[in-house]
């Protein structure tokens, strides 16, 4: 059921229901009822009830079926990992990754090379560590029963916040299902020392990476926003100074839909020119799977050739800047790709030594209130993730020859 949702959740409820009730559930019932009937008739079959279901001459065909089922299941989990990685990335919990769409018709068919490599390395290490499938059962049991309990808790959260269930209904649901889930989990918890700790360790590593990236990006955004200006103040300054305007369109990518991007301030400070048309573009990911096409863009026309564009995407969608430009041309803006220059900020992050204070020319928040949010080793982890994340140019599908990056040194 978990694999079905992760794999087919892109396509709505109907494919999940059809696959479950037409194929998966009948097959599982036949399999497990058959094993139960065999054990009731012959208790010695408990040594291997699955393969003893069939006569001896059908052993090898049964092994072939089991192997094919294993391949299908592993592919489902790999595809599910790709989907979850994309959703985590869109929601801001992991660095930017390479998303390759393998279908022109189905947006959910994706391939993530970095995740694929990590899964391959992890599988090899697990095989070398556990040596046999029997030794792996403890780690597997903790993973599956832990997922059961977490799913029940998350379902209750959704029921209360989104479906407005009463507290009594949510509590009743949790009591019934958690009793079952925690009974399974506690039965497997006694195997923690014999391999179950591996599952907890892997989950802890992934959790630390996700929380560190989310917190680090929030801190970095606050530091950068501390140096921005209100838009009305900036426009009045442009009207007063009247900087040189050059032909073409400039797009300044910004994570904040308000204020003036720091990269625009740096550009005007150092280059002392502005393009005839300036687009301030922010791309936001909403906590919904998809955004309807007609609700994708919001265009706000400002004074002196400035325009603010906000593009909204769901966490199952990938941003596409060329598509945004195409929509802007339809709205009447000059947004041809070969006449547009994209300005992106490139931050070089240094972990601040509090005793020594910030270096000259670096940017950080005016107070030390941000320091307690992350320890020094987590800040270094964030710097490592930042340096190895996929570039914004590749992630947003912007032609590299149309991009200008302006660097800034930021201290945490």
């Amino acid at each position: 059921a978990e694999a079905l949702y992760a794999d087919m959740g892109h396509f709505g409820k109907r494919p999940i229901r059809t696959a479950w009730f037409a194929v998966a559930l009948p097959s599982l019932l036949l399999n497990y009822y058959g094993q139960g009937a065999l054990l009731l008739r012959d208790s010695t079959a408990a040594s291997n009830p699955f393969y003893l279901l069939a006569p001896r001459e059908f052993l090898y065909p049964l092994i072939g079926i089991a192997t094919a089922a294993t391949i299908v299941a592993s592919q489902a989990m790999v595809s599910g990992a790709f989907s979850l990685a994309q959703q985590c990335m869109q929601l801001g919990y992991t660095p930017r990754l390479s998303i390759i769409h393998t279908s022109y018709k189905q947006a959910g068919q994706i391939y993530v090379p970095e995740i694929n490599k990590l899964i391959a390395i992890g599988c090899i290490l697990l095989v070398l560590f556990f040596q046999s499938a029997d030794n792996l059962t403890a780690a597997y049991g903790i993973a599956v029963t832990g997922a059961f309990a977490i799913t029940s808790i998350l379902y209750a959260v959704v029921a209360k916040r989104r479906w407005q269930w009463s507290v009594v209904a949510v509590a009743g649901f949790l009591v019934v299902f958690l009793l079952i889930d925690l009974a399974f989990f506690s039965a497997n918890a006694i195997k923690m020392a014999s391999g179950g700790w591996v599952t907890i360790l892997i989950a802890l590593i992934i959790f630390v990476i996700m929380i560190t990236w989310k917190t680090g990006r929030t801190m970095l955004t606050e530091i950068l926003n501390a140096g921005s200006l209100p838009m009305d103040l900036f426009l009045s300054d442009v009207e007063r100074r009247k900087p040189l305007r050059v032909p073409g369109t400039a797009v300044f990518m910004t994570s904040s839909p308000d204020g003036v991007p720091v990269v625009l301030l740096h550009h005007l400070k150092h280059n002392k020119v502005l393009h005839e048309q300036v687009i301030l573009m922010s791309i936001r990911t909403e906590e919904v799977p998809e955004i309807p096409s007609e609700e994708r863009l919001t265009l706000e026309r400002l004074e002196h050739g400035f325009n603010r564009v906000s593009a909204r995407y769901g966490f199952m969608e990938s941003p596409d800047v060329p598509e945004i430009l195409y929509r802007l041309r339809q709205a009447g803006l000059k947004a041809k790709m070969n006449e547009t220059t994209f300005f992106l900020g490139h931050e070089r992050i240094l972990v601040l030594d509090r005793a020594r204070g910030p270096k000259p020319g670096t940017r950080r928040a005016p107070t030390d209130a941000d320091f307690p949010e992350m320890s020094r080793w987590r800040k270094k982890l964030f710097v490592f993730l930042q340096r190895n994340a996929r570039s914004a140019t590749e992630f947003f599908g912007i032609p590299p020859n149309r991009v200008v990056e302006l660097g800034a040194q930021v201290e945490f």
Side-chain angles (χ1 to χ4, degrees):
E2 298 278 0
L4 278 172
Y5 174 76
D7 227 7
M8 308 177 72
H10 297 276
F11 314 123
K13 295 179 289 187
R14 185 176 179 182
I16 299 175
R17 291 171 173 170
T18 302
W20 176 253
F21 288 109
V23 180
L25 180 60
S27 301
L28 289 171
L29 287 176
L30 287 173
N31 183 12
Y32 290 124
Y33 280 2
Q35 292 184 44
L38 174 64
L39 292 175
L40 289 174
R41 190 184 68 181
D42 182 8
S43 60
T44 61
S47 60
N48 203 326
F50 177 75
Y51 286 111
L52 292 176
L53 278 173
R56 183 69 181 178
E57 55 269 21
F58 288 101
L59 176 62
Y60 290 107
L62 197 58
I63 292 175
I65 293 174
T67 303
T70 302
I71 294 173
V72 170
S74 64
Q75 180 58 46
M77 297 311 299
V78 169
S79 299
F82 293 162
S83 299
L84 292 175
Q86 182 196 30
Q87 294 166 26
C88 287
M89 179 184 60
Q90 295 291 72
L91 292 173
Y93 283 96
T94 58
R96 289 185 294 264
L97 302 171
S98 302
I99 304 294
I100 300 175
H101 291 266
T102 58
S103 171
Y104 290 100
K105 297 181 179 179
Q106 301 292 349
Q109 295 185 15
I110 59 174
Y111 171 66
V112 186
E114 295 91 341
I115 298 299
N116 196 56
K117 293 176 183 177
L118 287 176
I119 292 175
I121 294 172
C123 288
I124 294 172
L125 292 178
L126 286 175
V127 170
L128 294 176
F129 180 79
F130 286 102
Q131 300 293 320
S132 70
D134 290 337
N135 296 333
L136 189 63
T137 54
Y140 179 78
I142 292 292
V144 172
T145 57
F148 288 168
I150 292 172
T151 301
S152 296
I153 294 172
L154 292 178
Y155 189 95
V157 172
V158 172
K160 182 67 176 69
R161 293 185 178 180
R162 299 294 297 273
W163 303 335
Q164 304 301 317
W165 283 19
S166 67
V167 176
V168 175
V170 172
F173 168 85
L174 271 180
V175 168
V176 172
F177 281 89
L178 280 183
L179 280 176
I180 301 172
D181 297 337
L182 294 180
F184 280 117
F185 183 80
S186 58
N188 283 273
I190 61 175
K191 302 177 182 178
M192 192 73 71
S194 59
W197 60 271
V198 174
T199 299
I200 303 300
L201 178 62
I202 294 174
L204 183 61
I205 292 173
I206 296 174
F207 176 78
V208 169
I209 290 175
M210 292 173 62
I211 296 300
T212 298
W213 179 259
K214 183 71 171 181
T215 305
R217 289 300 303 176
T218 301
M219 291 174 59
L220 180 60
T221 300
E222 292 176 353
I223 293 172
L224 294 176
N225 288 343
S228 64
L229 291 175
M231 180 55 68
D232 54 351
L233 180 62
F234 175 78
L235 291 177
S236 63
D237 187 66
V238 169
E239 183 178 10
R240 179 171 54 86
R241 293 178 179 271
K242 291 183 170 47
L244 178 66
R245 308 300 288 260
V246 296
T249 299
V251 176
F252 291 89
M253 305 293 294
T254 174
S255 59
S256 175
D258 303 312
V260 182
V262 175
V263 64
L264 172 56
L265 298 177
H266 285 182
H267 167 66
L268 185 58
K269 175 183 177 181
H270 295 289
N271 297 326
K272 305 188 188 315
V273 296
L274 286 174
H275 287 70
E276 290 178 345
Q277 180 177 261
V278 177
I279 299 175
L280 310 179
M281 183 183 296
S282 62
I283 297 178
R284 296 184 297 164
T285 300
E286 306 288 346
E287 294 185 1
V288 293
E290 296 178 350
I291 298 293
S293 178
E294 61 275 9
E295 301 176 11
R296 176 82 66 208
L297 290 184
T298 301
L299 172 61
E300 180 185 1
R301 295 181 181 270
L302 307 173
E303 299 175 333
H304 311 300
F306 283 78
N307 302 271
R308 187 181 293 279
V309 175
S310 179
R312 300 166 59 234
Y313 287 86
F315 58 75
M316 286 187 175
E317 301 175 304
S318 297
D320 189 347
V321 170
E323 179 198 11
I324 296 175
L325 289 187
Y326 174 76
R327 290 171 176 260
L328 292 179
R329 287 200 302 271
Q330 292 181 322
L333 295 185
K334 299 177 182 178
K336 292 184 178 180
M337 184 64 74
N338 59 355
E339 299 176 359
T340 302
T341 303
F342 294 85
F343 290 86
L344 305 178
H346 181 78
E347 298 84 18
R348 181 171 180 263
I349 303 175
L350 302 176
V351 178
L352 179 63
D353 187 345
R354 296 185 64 181
R356 296 169 59 184
K359 297 179 181 179
T362 58
R363 181 186 298 276
R364 70 179 182 91
T367 68
D368 287 345
D370 56 317
F371 284 109
E373 296 184 21
M374 281 204 302
S375 58
R376 185 177 178 84
W377 70 268
R378 287 182 64 198
K379 291 178 182 179
K380 290 186 176 181
L381 174 60
F382 175 73
V383 171
F384 173 80
L385 296 173
Q386 177 86 356
R387 290 176 179 173
N388 290 275
R390 189 185 180 198
S391 70
T393 302
E394 295 176 321
F395 180 73
F396 292 121
I398 306 173
N401 61 344
R402 308 303 309 174
V403 174
V404 175
E405 289 191 352
L406 296 177
Q409 191 163 272
V410 181
E411 286 195 341
F412 268 26

